[in-house]
Amino acid sequence: LAAEQGREVYAIPGSIHHPGAKGCHQLIRDGALLVESVEQILESLQGWQNLPPAVVDKFDHPLLSLLHAAPQTSESLAHCSEL
């Protein structure tokens, strides 16, 4: 729906063996911008809100390390992080 409204759509690819990554892969096939880092998203937004490059350093959240390997559900994140 975002793409139909002329908005940017970003997708982070996952493992081809993980069933939870199919939605992201479909978004990429449909024209979403493939991103591999927060920096790529922030670069594409520069000028839109004049975001300074220093904003990237603020994304050091403990849950991010859990999301690097594969997509996870909120329940899985809660269990793995013990939060």
Side-chain angles (χ1 to χ4, degrees):
L1 292 173
E4 291 174 8
Q5 295 175 9
R7 297 177 181 217
E8 293 288 348
V9 177
Y10 303 94
I12 300 172
S15 168
I16 60 171
H17 305 290
H18 194 288
K22 288 183 179 184
C24 292
H25 294 170
Q26 184 63 50
L27 287 172
I28 293 167
R29 283 192 297 275
D30 291 343
L33 298 173
L34 183 149
V35 293
E36 298 174 308
S37 69
V38 172
E39 292 85 2
Q40 288 178 307
I41 296 171
L42 293 175
E43 283 175 18
S44 71
L45 294 175
Q46 296 247 338
W48 178 66
Q49 289 185 327
N50 295 324
L51 295 172
V55 171
V56 175
D57 297 335
K58 295 181 182 176
F59 289 95
D60 187 26
H61 194 279
L63 292 179
L64 288 178
S65 62
L66 295 173
L67 292 171
H68 285 292
Q72 295 193 39
T73 64
S74 56
E75 290 84 7
S76 174
L77 286 173
H79 176 74
C80 291
S81 67
E82 298 179 352
L83 296 175

